[in-house]
CSV table of all heavy atoms in Angstrom, one decimal:
chain,number,residue,atom,x,y,z
A,229,CYS,N,-24.0,-137.3,-67.3
A,229,CYS,CA,-22.7,-137.8,-67.7
A,229,CYS,C,-22.7,-138.1,-69.2
A,229,CYS,O,-23.4,-139.0,-69.6
A,229,CYS,CB,-22.3,-138.9,-66.8
A,229,CYS,SG,-20.6,-139.5,-67.2
A,230,GLY,N,-21.8,-137.4,-69.9
A,230,GLY,CA,-21.7,-137.7,-71.3
A,230,GLY,C,-22.9,-137.4,-72.2
A,230,GLY,O,-22.9,-137.7,-73.4
A,231,GLU,N,-23.8,-136.7,-71.6
A,231,GLU,CA,-25.0,-136.3,-72.4
A,231,GLU,C,-24.9,-135.0,-73.0
A,231,GLU,O,-24.3,-134.0,-72.5
A,231,GLU,CB,-26.2,-136.3,-71.4
A,231,GLU,CG,-26.6,-137.6,-70.7
A,231,GLU,CD,-27.2,-138.6,-71.7
A,231,GLU,OE1,-27.6,-138.2,-72.8
A,231,GLU,OE2,-27.2,-139.8,-71.3
A,232,ALA,N,-25.6,-134.8,-74.2
A,232,ALA,CA,-25.7,-133.6,-74.9
A,232,ALA,C,-27.1,-133.1,-74.7
A,232,ALA,O,-28.1,-133.9,-74.7
A,232,ALA,CB,-25.4,-133.7,-76.4
A,233,PHE,N,-27.3,-131.7,-74.5
A,233,PHE,CA,-28.6,-131.1,-74.3
A,233,PHE,C,-28.7,-129.9,-75.2
A,233,PHE,O,-27.9,-129.0,-75.1
A,233,PHE,CB,-28.7,-130.7,-72.8
A,233,PHE,CG,-28.7,-131.9,-71.8
A,233,PHE,CD1,-27.5,-132.1,-71.2
A,233,PHE,CD2,-29.8,-132.7,-71.6
A,233,PHE,CE1,-27.4,-133.2,-70.3
A,233,PHE,CE2,-29.7,-133.7,-70.7
A,233,PHE,CZ,-28.5,-134.0,-70.0
A,234,ASN,N,-29.8,-129.9,-76.0
A,234,ASN,CA,-30.1,-128.7,-76.7
A,234,ASN,C,-30.6,-127.7,-75.6
A,234,ASN,O,-31.5,-128.0,-74.8
A,234,ASN,CB,-31.2,-128.9,-77.7
A,234,ASN,CG,-30.7,-129.8,-78.8
A,234,ASN,OD1,-29.6,-129.9,-79.1
A,234,ASN,ND2,-31.7,-130.6,-79.4
A,235,VAL,N,-30.1,-126.5,-75.6
A,235,VAL,CA,-30.5,-125.5,-74.6
A,235,VAL,C,-31.3,-124.4,-75.3
A,235,VAL,O,-30.9,-123.6,-76.1
A,235,VAL,CB,-29.2,-124.9,-74.0
A,235,VAL,CG1,-29.6,-123.8,-72.9
A,235,VAL,CG2,-28.4,-125.9,-73.3
A,236,GLY,N,-32.6,-124.3,-74.8
A,236,GLY,CA,-33.5,-123.4,-75.4
A,236,GLY,C,-34.9,-123.8,-75.0
A,236,GLY,O,-35.1,-124.5,-74.1
A,237,ASP,N,-35.9,-123.4,-75.8
A,237,ASP,CA,-37.3,-123.7,-75.5
A,237,ASP,C,-38.0,-123.9,-76.9
A,237,ASP,O,-37.8,-123.1,-77.8
A,237,ASP,CB,-37.9,-122.5,-74.8
A,237,ASP,CG,-39.4,-122.8,-74.3
A,237,ASP,OD1,-40.3,-122.6,-75.2
A,237,ASP,OD2,-39.5,-123.3,-73.2
A,238,ASP,N,-38.9,-124.8,-76.9
A,238,ASP,CA,-39.6,-125.1,-78.2
A,238,ASP,C,-40.3,-123.9,-78.7
A,238,ASP,O,-40.4,-123.7,-80.0
A,238,ASP,CB,-40.6,-126.3,-78.0
A,238,ASP,CG,-39.9,-127.6,-77.8
A,238,ASP,OD1,-38.7,-127.7,-78.1
A,238,ASP,OD2,-40.6,-128.5,-77.3
A,239,ALA,N,-40.8,-123.0,-77.9
A,239,ALA,CA,-41.5,-121.9,-78.3
A,239,ALA,C,-40.6,-120.8,-78.9
A,239,ALA,O,-41.1,-119.9,-79.5
A,239,ALA,CB,-42.3,-121.3,-77.1
A,240,GLN,N,-39.3,-121.0,-78.8
A,240,GLN,CA,-38.4,-120.0,-79.3
A,240,GLN,C,-37.7,-120.5,-80.6
A,240,GLN,O,-36.6,-120.0,-81.0
A,240,GLN,CB,-37.3,-119.7,-78.3
A,240,GLN,CG,-37.9,-119.1,-77.0
A,240,GLN,CD,-38.6,-117.8,-77.1
A,240,GLN,OE1,-38.2,-116.9,-77.8
A,240,GLN,NE2,-39.8,-117.7,-76.5
A,241,ASN,N,-38.4,-121.4,-81.4
A,241,ASN,CA,-38.0,-121.7,-82.7
A,241,ASN,C,-38.6,-120.7,-83.7
A,241,ASN,O,-39.8,-120.7,-83.9
A,241,ASN,CB,-38.4,-123.1,-83.1
A,241,ASN,CG,-37.5,-124.2,-82.6
A,241,ASN,OD1,-36.3,-124.2,-83.0
A,241,ASN,ND2,-38.0,-125.1,-81.7
A,242,TYR,N,-37.8,-119.9,-84.3
A,242,TYR,CA,-38.3,-118.8,-85.1
A,242,TYR,C,-37.7,-119.0,-86.5
A,242,TYR,O,-36.7,-119.7,-86.8
A,242,TYR,CB,-37.8,-117.4,-84.6
A,242,TYR,CG,-38.3,-117.0,-83.3
A,242,TYR,CD1,-37.6,-117.2,-82.1
A,242,TYR,CD2,-39.5,-116.4,-83.2
A,242,TYR,CE1,-38.0,-116.8,-80.9
A,242,TYR,CE2,-40.0,-116.0,-81.9
A,242,TYR,CZ,-39.3,-116.2,-80.8
A,242,TYR,OH,-39.7,-115.8,-79.6
A,243,ILE,N,-38.4,-118.3,-87.5
A,243,ILE,CA,-37.7,-118.0,-88.7
A,243,ILE,C,-37.2,-116.6,-88.6
A,243,ILE,O,-37.7,-115.8,-87.8
A,243,ILE,CB,-38.6,-118.2,-90.0
A,243,ILE,CG1,-39.8,-117.2,-90.0
A,243,ILE,CG2,-39.0,-119.6,-90.2
A,243,ILE,CD1,-40.5,-117.2,-91.3
A,244,VAL,N,-36.1,-116.2,-89.3
A,244,VAL,CA,-35.5,-114.9,-89.1
A,244,VAL,C,-36.5,-113.8,-89.4
A,244,VAL,O,-36.5,-112.8,-88.7
A,244,VAL,CB,-34.3,-114.8,-90.1
A,244,VAL,CG1,-33.7,-113.4,-90.0
A,244,VAL,CG2,-33.2,-115.8,-89.7
A,245,ARG,N,-37.4,-114.0,-90.3
A,245,ARG,CA,-38.4,-113.0,-90.6
A,245,ARG,C,-39.3,-112.7,-89.3
A,245,ARG,O,-39.6,-111.5,-89.0
A,245,ARG,CB,-39.4,-113.4,-91.7
A,245,ARG,CG,-40.4,-112.4,-92.2
A,245,ARG,CD,-41.2,-113.0,-93.3
A,245,ARG,NE,-40.4,-113.2,-94.5
A,245,ARG,CZ,-40.2,-112.2,-95.4
A,245,ARG,NH1,-40.8,-111.1,-95.3
A,245,ARG,NH2,-39.4,-112.5,-96.5
A,246,GLU,N,-39.6,-113.7,-88.5
A,246,GLU,CA,-40.3,-113.5,-87.3
A,246,GLU,C,-39.5,-112.7,-86.3
A,246,GLU,O,-40.1,-111.9,-85.5
A,246,GLU,CB,-40.7,-114.9,-86.7
A,246,GLU,CG,-41.8,-115.6,-87.5
A,246,GLU,CD,-42.0,-117.0,-87.1
A,246,GLU,OE1,-41.1,-117.6,-86.5
A,246,GLU,OE2,-43.1,-117.5,-87.3
A,247,ILE,N,-38.2,-113.0,-86.2
A,247,ILE,CA,-37.3,-112.2,-85.3
A,247,ILE,C,-37.3,-110.8,-85.7
A,247,ILE,O,-37.4,-109.9,-84.8
A,247,ILE,CB,-35.9,-112.8,-85.3
A,247,ILE,CG1,-35.9,-114.3,-84.9
A,247,ILE,CG2,-35.0,-112.0,-84.4
A,247,ILE,CD1,-34.6,-115.0,-85.1
A,248,ALA,N,-37.3,-110.5,-87.0
A,248,ALA,CA,-37.3,-109.1,-87.5
A,248,ALA,C,-38.6,-108.4,-87.1
A,248,ALA,O,-38.7,-107.3,-86.7
A,248,ALA,CB,-37.1,-109.1,-89.0
A,249,GLU,N,-39.7,-109.2,-87.1
A,249,GLU,CA,-41.0,-108.6,-86.7
A,249,GLU,C,-41.1,-108.3,-85.2
A,249,GLU,O,-41.7,-107.3,-84.8
A,249,GLU,CB,-42.1,-109.5,-87.2
A,249,GLU,CG,-42.3,-109.6,-88.7
A,249,GLU,CD,-43.2,-110.7,-89.2
A,249,GLU,OE1,-43.6,-111.6,-88.3
A,249,GLU,OE2,-43.4,-110.8,-90.4
A,250,VAL,N,-40.5,-109.2,-84.4
A,250,VAL,CA,-40.4,-108.9,-83.0
A,250,VAL,C,-39.7,-107.6,-82.7
A,250,VAL,O,-40.1,-106.8,-81.9
A,250,VAL,CB,-39.7,-110.1,-82.2
A,250,VAL,CG1,-39.3,-109.7,-80.8
A,250,VAL,CG2,-40.6,-111.3,-82.2
A,251,VAL,N,-38.5,-107.4,-83.4
A,251,VAL,CA,-37.7,-106.2,-83.2
A,251,VAL,C,-38.5,-105.0,-83.7
A,251,VAL,O,-38.5,-103.9,-83.1
A,251,VAL,CB,-36.4,-106.3,-84.0
A,251,VAL,CG1,-35.7,-105.0,-84.0
A,251,VAL,CG2,-35.5,-107.4,-83.4
A,252,ASN,N,-39.3,-105.1,-84.8
A,252,ASN,CA,-40.1,-104.0,-85.3
A,252,ASN,C,-41.2,-103.6,-84.4
A,252,ASN,O,-41.5,-102.4,-84.2
A,252,ASN,CB,-40.7,-104.4,-86.7
A,252,ASN,CG,-41.2,-103.2,-87.4
A,252,ASN,OD1,-40.6,-102.1,-87.4
A,252,ASN,ND2,-42.3,-103.4,-88.2
A,253,ARG,N,-41.7,-104.5,-83.6
A,253,ARG,CA,-42.8,-104.2,-82.6
A,253,ARG,C,-42.1,-103.5,-81.4
A,253,ARG,O,-42.8,-102.6,-80.8
A,253,ARG,CB,-43.5,-105.4,-82.2
A,253,ARG,CG,-44.4,-106.0,-83.3
A,253,ARG,CD,-45.4,-107.1,-82.7
A,253,ARG,NE,-44.7,-108.2,-82.2
A,253,ARG,CZ,-44.4,-109.3,-82.9
A,253,ARG,NH1,-44.7,-109.3,-84.2
A,253,ARG,NH2,-43.8,-110.4,-82.4
A,254,THR,N,-40.9,-103.8,-81.1
A,254,THR,CA,-40.2,-103.2,-80.0
A,254,THR,C,-39.7,-101.8,-80.3
A,254,THR,O,-39.6,-100.9,-79.5
A,254,THR,CB,-39.1,-104.1,-79.5
A,254,THR,OG1,-39.6,-105.4,-79.3
A,254,THR,CG2,-38.5,-103.6,-78.2
A,255,PHE,N,-39.2,-101.7,-81.6
A,255,PHE,CA,-38.6,-100.4,-82.1
A,255,PHE,C,-39.5,-99.9,-83.2
A,255,PHE,O,-39.2,-100.1,-84.4
A,255,PHE,CB,-37.2,-100.6,-82.5
A,255,PHE,CG,-36.3,-101.2,-81.5
A,255,PHE,CD1,-36.2,-102.6,-81.3
A,255,PHE,CD2,-35.6,-100.3,-80.7
A,255,PHE,CE1,-35.3,-103.1,-80.3
A,255,PHE,CE2,-34.7,-100.8,-79.7
A,255,PHE,CZ,-34.6,-102.2,-79.5
A,256,PRO,N,-40.7,-99.4,-82.9
A,256,PRO,CA,-41.6,-99.1,-84.0
A,256,PRO,C,-41.1,-97.9,-84.9
A,256,PRO,O,-40.2,-97.1,-84.5
A,256,PRO,CB,-42.9,-98.6,-83.2
A,256,PRO,CG,-42.4,-98.2,-81.9
A,256,PRO,CD,-41.2,-99.1,-81.6
A,257,GLY,N,-41.7,-97.9,-86.1
A,257,GLY,CA,-41.3,-96.9,-87.1
A,257,GLY,C,-40.1,-97.2,-87.9
A,257,GLY,O,-39.6,-96.3,-88.6
A,258,CYS,N,-39.7,-98.5,-87.9
A,258,CYS,CA,-38.5,-98.9,-88.7
A,258,CYS,C,-39.0,-99.5,-90.0
A,258,CYS,O,-40.0,-100.0,-90.1
A,258,CYS,CB,-37.7,-99.9,-87.9
A,258,CYS,SG,-36.9,-99.3,-86.4
A,259,GLU,N,-38.1,-99.4,-91.0
A,259,GLU,CA,-38.3,-100.0,-92.3
A,259,GLU,C,-37.6,-101.4,-92.3
A,259,GLU,O,-36.4,-101.4,-92.0
A,259,GLU,CB,-37.8,-99.2,-93.4
A,259,GLU,CG,-38.0,-99.8,-94.8
A,259,GLU,CD,-37.3,-99.0,-95.9
A,259,GLU,OE1,-36.7,-97.9,-95.6
A,259,GLU,OE2,-37.4,-99.4,-97.1
A,260,ILE,N,-38.2,-102.4,-92.7
A,260,ILE,CA,-37.6,-103.8,-92.8
A,260,ILE,C,-37.2,-104.0,-94.2
A,260,ILE,O,-38.0,-103.9,-95.1
A,260,ILE,CB,-38.5,-104.9,-92.3
A,260,ILE,CG1,-39.0,-104.6,-90.8
A,260,ILE,CG2,-37.8,-106.2,-92.3
A,260,ILE,CD1,-40.0,-105.7,-90.3
A,261,THR,N,-36.0,-104.4,-94.4
A,261,THR,CA,-35.5,-104.8,-95.7
A,261,THR,C,-34.9,-106.2,-95.6
A,261,THR,O,-34.3,-106.6,-94.6
A,261,THR,CB,-34.4,-103.9,-96.3
A,261,THR,OG1,-33.3,-103.8,-95.4
A,261,THR,CG2,-35.0,-102.5,-96.4
A,262,TYR,N,-34.9,-107.0,-96.7
A,262,TYR,CA,-34.4,-108.3,-96.8
A,262,TYR,C,-33.4,-108.5,-97.9
A,262,TYR,O,-33.4,-107.8,-98.9
A,262,TYR,CB,-35.6,-109.3,-97.0
A,262,TYR,CG,-36.5,-109.4,-95.8
A,262,TYR,CD1,-37.7,-108.6,-95.8
A,262,TYR,CD2,-36.3,-110.2,-94.7
A,262,TYR,CE1,-38.6,-108.6,-94.8
A,262,TYR,CE2,-37.2,-110.2,-93.7
A,262,TYR,CZ,-38.3,-109.4,-93.7
A,262,TYR,OH,-39.2,-109.5,-92.6
A,263,GLY,N,-32.5,-109.4,-97.7
A,263,GLY,CA,-31.5,-109.7,-98.7
A,263,GLY,C,-31.9,-110.9,-99.5
A,263,GLY,O,-33.1,-111.2,-99.7
A,264,SER,N,-30.9,-111.6,-100.1
A,264,SER,CA,-31.2,-112.7,-101.0
A,264,SER,C,-31.2,-114.0,-100.2
A,264,SER,O,-30.9,-114.0,-99.0
A,264,SER,CB,-30.1,-112.8,-102.1
A,264,SER,OG,-28.9,-113.1,-101.5
A,265,SER,N,-31.4,-115.1,-100.8
A,265,SER,CA,-31.5,-116.4,-100.2
A,265,SER,C,-30.1,-117.1,-100.2
A,265,SER,O,-30.0,-118.2,-99.7
A,265,SER,CB,-32.5,-117.3,-100.8
A,265,SER,OG,-32.2,-117.5,-102.2
A,266,GLY,N,-29.1,-116.5,-100.8
A,266,GLY,CA,-27.8,-117.1,-100.9
A,266,GLY,C,-26.9,-116.9,-99.7
A,266,GLY,O,-27.4,-116.4,-98.7
A,267,GLY,N,-25.7,-117.4,-99.8
A,267,GLY,CA,-24.8,-117.2,-98.7
A,267,GLY,C,-25.0,-118.2,-97.5
A,267,GLY,O,-24.9,-119.4,-97.7
A,268,ASP,N,-25.2,-117.7,-96.4
A,268,ASP,CA,-25.4,-118.5,-95.2
A,268,ASP,C,-26.7,-119.4,-95.3
A,268,ASP,O,-27.8,-118.9,-95.3
A,268,ASP,CB,-25.5,-117.6,-93.9
A,268,ASP,CG,-25.5,-118.4,-92.6
A,268,ASP,OD1,-25.6,-119.6,-92.7
A,268,ASP,OD2,-25.5,-117.7,-91.6
A,269,ASN,N,-26.4,-120.7,-95.4
A,269,ASN,CA,-27.6,-121.6,-95.6
A,269,ASN,C,-27.9,-122.4,-94.3
A,269,ASN,O,-28.6,-123.4,-94.4
A,269,ASN,CB,-27.3,-122.6,-96.7
A,269,ASN,CG,-26.1,-123.5,-96.5
A,269,ASN,OD1,-25.4,-123.3,-95.5
A,269,ASN,ND2,-25.9,-124.5,-97.4
A,270,ARG,N,-27.4,-122.0,-93.2
A,270,ARG,CA,-27.8,-122.6,-91.9
A,270,ARG,C,-29.2,-122.4,-91.6
A,270,ARG,O,-29.7,-121.3,-91.7
A,270,ARG,CB,-26.9,-122.1,-90.7
A,270,ARG,CG,-25.5,-122.4,-90.8
A,270,ARG,CD,-24.7,-121.7,-89.7
A,270,ARG,NE,-24.8,-120.3,-89.9
A,270,ARG,CZ,-24.9,-119.4,-88.9
A,270,ARG,NH1,-24.9,-119.8,-87.6
A,270,ARG,NH2,-24.9,-118.1,-89.1
A,271,SER,N,-29.9,-123.5,-91.3
A,271,SER,CA,-31.4,-123.4,-91.0
A,271,SER,C,-31.7,-124.6,-90.2
A,271,SER,O,-31.6,-125.7,-90.7
A,271,SER,CB,-32.2,-123.2,-92.3
A,271,SER,OG,-33.5,-123.1,-92.0
A,272,TYR,N,-32.2,-124.5,-89.0
A,272,TYR,CA,-32.6,-125.7,-88.2
A,272,TYR,C,-33.6,-125.3,-87.1
A,272,TYR,O,-33.6,-124.2,-86.6
A,272,TYR,CB,-31.3,-126.2,-87.5
A,272,TYR,CG,-30.4,-125.2,-86.9
A,272,TYR,CD1,-30.5,-124.7,-85.6
A,272,TYR,CD2,-29.3,-124.7,-87.7
A,272,TYR,CE1,-29.7,-123.8,-85.1
A,272,TYR,CE2,-28.5,-123.7,-87.2
A,272,TYR,CZ,-28.7,-123.3,-85.9
A,272,TYR,OH,-27.8,-122.3,-85.4
A,273,ARG,N,-34.5,-126.3,-86.9
A,273,ARG,CA,-35.4,-126.2,-85.8
A,273,ARG,C,-35.1,-127.3,-84.8
A,273,ARG,O,-34.6,-128.4,-85.2
A,273,ARG,CB,-36.9,-126.4,-86.3
A,273,ARG,CG,-37.3,-125.3,-87.3
A,273,ARG,CD,-38.7,-125.6,-87.8
A,273,ARG,NE,-39.7,-125.4,-86.7
A,273,ARG,CZ,-40.5,-126.4,-86.3
A,273,ARG,NH1,-40.4,-127.6,-86.8
A,273,ARG,NH2,-41.4,-126.2,-85.3
A,274,VAL,N,-35.2,-127.0,-83.5
A,274,VAL,CA,-34.6,-127.8,-82.5
A,274,VAL,C,-35.6,-128.2,-81.4
A,274,VAL,O,-36.4,-127.3,-81.0
A,274,VAL,CB,-33.4,-127.2,-81.9
A,274,VAL,CG1,-32.8,-128.0,-80.8
A,274,VAL,CG2,-32.3,-126.9,-82.9
A,275,SER,N,-35.6,-129.4,-81.0
A,275,SER,CA,-36.4,-129.9,-79.8
A,275,SER,C,-35.6,-129.7,-78.6
A,275,SER,O,-34.4,-130.1,-78.5
A,275,SER,CB,-36.8,-131.3,-80.0
A,275,SER,OG,-37.3,-131.9,-78.8
A,276,PHE,N,-36.3,-129.2,-77.5
A,276,PHE,CA,-35.6,-128.9,-76.2
A,276,PHE,C,-36.3,-129.8,-75.1
A,276,PHE,O,-36.2,-129.4,-74.0
A,276,PHE,CB,-35.7,-127.4,-75.9
A,276,PHE,CG,-35.0,-126.6,-76.9
A,276,PHE,CD1,-35.8,-125.9,-77.9
A,276,PHE,CD2,-33.7,-126.4,-76.9
A,276,PHE,CE1,-35.1,-125.2,-78.9
A,276,PHE,CE2,-33.0,-125.7,-77.9
A,276,PHE,CZ,-33.8,-125.0,-78.9
A,277,GLU,N,-36.9,-130.9,-75.5
A,277,GLU,CA,-37.5,-131.7,-74.5
A,277,GLU,C,-36.6,-132.4,-73.6
A,277,GLU,O,-36.8,-132.6,-72.4
A,277,GLU,CB,-38.4,-132.8,-75.3
A,277,GLU,CG,-39.1,-133.7,-74.4
A,277,GLU,CD,-40.0,-134.8,-75.1
A,277,GLU,OE1,-40.0,-134.7,-76.4
A,277,GLU,OE2,-40.6,-135.6,-74.4
A,278,LYS,N,-35.4,-132.9,-74.1
A,278,LYS,CA,-34.5,-133.7,-73.3
A,278,LYS,C,-34.0,-132.9,-72.1
A,278,LYS,O,-33.9,-133.5,-71.0
A,278,LYS,CB,-33.3,-134.2,-74.2
A,278,LYS,CG,-32.3,-135.0,-73.4
A,278,LYS,CD,-31.2,-135.5,-74.3
A,278,LYS,CE,-30.2,-136.3,-73.5
A,278,LYS,NZ,-29.0,-136.7,-74.3
A,279,ILE,N,-33.6,-131.7,-72.2
A,279,ILE,CA,-33.0,-131.0,-71.1
A,279,ILE,C,-34.1,-130.8,-69.9
A,279,ILE,O,-33.7,-130.9,-68.7
A,279,ILE,CB,-32.5,-129.6,-71.5
A,279,ILE,CG1,-31.7,-129.0,-70.4
A,279,ILE,CG2,-33.6,-128.6,-72.0
A,279,ILE,CD1,-30.9,-127.7,-70.8
A,280,ARG,N,-35.3,-130.7,-70.3
A,280,ARG,CA,-36.4,-130.6,-69.2
A,280,ARG,C,-36.5,-131.9,-68.5
A,280,ARG,O,-36.9,-132.0,-67.3
A,280,ARG,CB,-37.7,-130.1,-69.8
A,280,ARG,CG,-37.7,-128.7,-70.4
A,280,ARG,CD,-39.1,-128.2,-70.7
A,280,ARG,NE,-39.8,-129.1,-71.6
A,280,ARG,CZ,-39.7,-129.0,-73.0
A,280,ARG,NH1,-39.0,-128.0,-73.5
A,280,ARG,NH2,-40.4,-129.8,-73.7
A,281,GLN,N,-36.3,-133.0,-69.2
A,281,GLN,CA,-36.5,-134.4,-68.6
A,281,GLN,C,-35.3,-134.7,-67.7
A,281,GLN,O,-35.5,-135.2,-66.6
A,281,GLN,CB,-36.5,-135.4,-69.7
A,281,GLN,CG,-37.8,-135.4,-70.6
A,281,GLN,CD,-37.8,-136.4,-71.7
A,281,GLN,OE1,-36.7,-137.0,-72.0
A,281,GLN,NE2,-38.9,-136.7,-72.3
A,282,HIS,N,-34.1,-134.3,-68.1
A,282,HIS,CA,-32.9,-134.7,-67.3
A,282,HIS,C,-32.6,-133.6,-66.2
A,282,HIS,O,-32.0,-134.0,-65.2
A,282,HIS,CB,-31.7,-134.8,-68.2
A,282,HIS,CG,-31.7,-136.1,-69.0
A,282,HIS,ND1,-30.8,-137.1,-68.9
A,282,HIS,CD2,-32.6,-136.5,-70.0
A,282,HIS,CE1,-31.0,-138.0,-69.8
A,282,HIS,NE2,-32.1,-137.7,-70.4
A,283,MET,N,-33.0,-132.4,-66.5
A,283,MET,CA,-32.8,-131.3,-65.5
A,283,MET,C,-34.1,-130.6,-65.2
A,283,MET,O,-34.3,-129.5,-65.8
A,283,MET,CB,-31.7,-130.4,-66.0
A,283,MET,CG,-30.3,-131.0,-66.1
A,283,MET,SD,-29.0,-129.8,-66.6
A,283,MET,CE,-28.9,-130.2,-68.4
A,284,PRO,N,-34.9,-131.1,-64.4
A,284,PRO,CA,-36.3,-130.5,-64.2
A,284,PRO,C,-36.2,-129.1,-63.7
A,284,PRO,O,-37.2,-128.4,-63.9
A,284,PRO,CB,-36.9,-131.5,-63.1
A,284,PRO,CG,-36.1,-132.7,-63.2
A,284,PRO,CD,-34.7,-132.4,-63.6
Side-chain angles (χ1 to χ4, degrees):
C229 183
E231 298 288 345
F233 299 98
N234 296 331
V235 179
D237 186 274
D238 290 342
Q240 302 297 316
N241 276 298
Y242 296 95
I243 63 171
V244 173
R245 184 178 294 269
E246 291 171 332
I247 300 171
E249 291 167 354
V250 167
V251 171
N252 194 35
R253 289 193 294 272
T254 308
F255 302 88
C258 294
E259 177 188 2
I260 303 178
T261 60
Y262 294 93
S264 67
S265 59
D268 187 354
N269 62 351
R270 291 173 298 144
S271 182
Y272 43 88
R273 297 179 68 244
V274 179
S275 168
F276 301 98
E277 180 180 356
K278 181 180 176 181
I279 190 170
R280 296 193 302 272
Q281 293 176 343
H282 288 241
M283 292 184 263

